[in-house]
Amino acid sequence: QSALTQPRSVSGSPGQSVTISCTGTSSDVGAYNYVSWYQQYPGKAPKFMIYDVNKRPSGVPDRFSGSKSGNTASLTISGLQAEDEADYYCCSYAGRYTHWVFGGGTALTVL
Amino acid sequence: EVQLVESGGDVVQPGGSLRLSCAGSGFTFARYWMSWVRQAPGKGLEWVANIKEDGTDKYYVDSVKGRFTISRDNAKNSVYLQMNSLRVEDTAVYYCARNTFDMWGQGTMVTVSS
């Protein structure tokens, strides 16, 4: 039950786009279209941002988008805003016995 | 208001036990899988356990198998995590989350220390 691999940090200037990768294996990210993404501010609970690879829950801005290729999923945030500065986590279904695995998290800095 | 509220976190000695509770409101609790997810200080999220809508299926991360037990009481709209044989490495904020983590509680802190 290894964690998915995410970069420890990414950064971008306001208005720019950034992409956060999430690399798993053929047993999790590569096997299922059940990848989700969460935004977390310090001391707060995670917030549901993307599900089923590329679907947005109601209320999440369309600046946030998800995609997947092979064993790697990605979260892209376009038109960066200061309020986007937070930690981001990916998550994937990993089968009947492992169930769910999260990434190690990526700290986004808006310069 | 749709929400999840955890309780039961505390400071406990290694080898001790603790029972966490999570109460749901504002939605039909019995229609959803429920999970516990933890976050050690300064670390990432880790899925701990989940339980099917009717409580018949339960799954755990390897590191807690045999020590933690998830259960639920749909009449009380609540899910529980019984934690036994606690270790220092179980120290974390424990969140309950609905279904595929589309809703989270505020978390409850568990500290295992002598």
Side-chain angles (χ1 to χ4, degrees):
Chain A
Q1 292 164 324
S2 299
L4 305 176
T5 300
Q6 297 181 231
R8 290 187 65 90
S9 63
V10 297
S11 62
S13 299
Q16 289 186 333
S17 294
V18 294
T19 297
I20 299 171
S21 62
C22 169
T23 301
T25 69
S26 57
S27 297
D28 38 61
V29 175
Y32 306 98
N33 287 325
Y34 296 132
V35 176
S36 50
W37 290 88
Y38 304 86
Q39 176 190 63
Q40 186 180 37
Y41 294 112
K44 300 295 185 182
K47 177 186 176 183
F48 189 49
M49 301 297 287
I50 295 286
Y51 69 101
D52 293 352
V53 177
N54 56 15
K55 297 181 174 65
R56 275 189 314 276
S58 61
V60 174
D62 60 6
R63 302 186 295 104
F64 291 83
S65 63
S67 63
K68 190 186 87 167
S69 178
N71 296 337
T72 299
S74 299
L75 173 70
T76 298
I77 309 170
S78 58
L80 266 180
Q81 299 181 2
E83 67 208 48
D84 299 332
E85 185 162 297
D87 293 329
Y88 291 85
Y89 293 89
C90 63
C91 178
S92 175
Y93 183 67
R96 176 176 173 79
Y97 298 103
T98 304
H99 269 235
W100 299 100
V101 60
F102 282 89
T106 297
L108 168 63
T109 301
V110 180
L111 302 170
Chain B
E1 182 184 3
V2 179
Q3 64 176 357
L4 296 168
V5 179
E6 302 96 336
S7 61
D10 205 346
V11 179
V12 62
Q13 291 189 339
S17 297
L18 210 54
R19 188 195 195 211
L20 305 182
S21 300
C22 169
S25 59
F27 64 99
T28 307
F29 186 84
R31 291 185 181 174
Y32 293 90
W33 282 74
M34 295 297 297
S35 287
W36 286 96
V37 177
R38 67 185 177 183
Q39 186 170 33
K43 302 297 185 182
L45 301 169
E46 180 182 39
W47 171 76
V48 174
N50 62 2
I51 185 167
K52 195 177 178 181
E53 297 95 328
D54 60 3
T56 55
D57 287 341
K58 306 171 186 182
Y59 299 92
Y60 302 89
V61 68
D62 284 348
S63 60
V64 308
K65 285 179 181 175
R67 300 188 300 123
F68 290 11
T69 301
I70 190 171
S71 62
R72 66 190 297 161
D73 183 341
N74 287 340
K76 296 182 178 180
N77 291 337
S78 293
V79 61
Y80 309 98
L81 187 67
Q82 177 66 44
M83 303 186 295
N84 298 331
S85 302
L86 281 162
R87 304 168 180 169
V88 171
E89 55 264 34
D90 294 319
T91 295
V93 174
Y94 284 74
Y95 296 99
C96 71
R98 186 179 76 172
N99 204 27
T100 50
F101 318 113
D102 63 343
M103 181 194 308
W104 299 66
Q106 84 287 352
T108 188
M109 183 70 204
V110 172
T111 302
V112 184
S113 174
S114 54

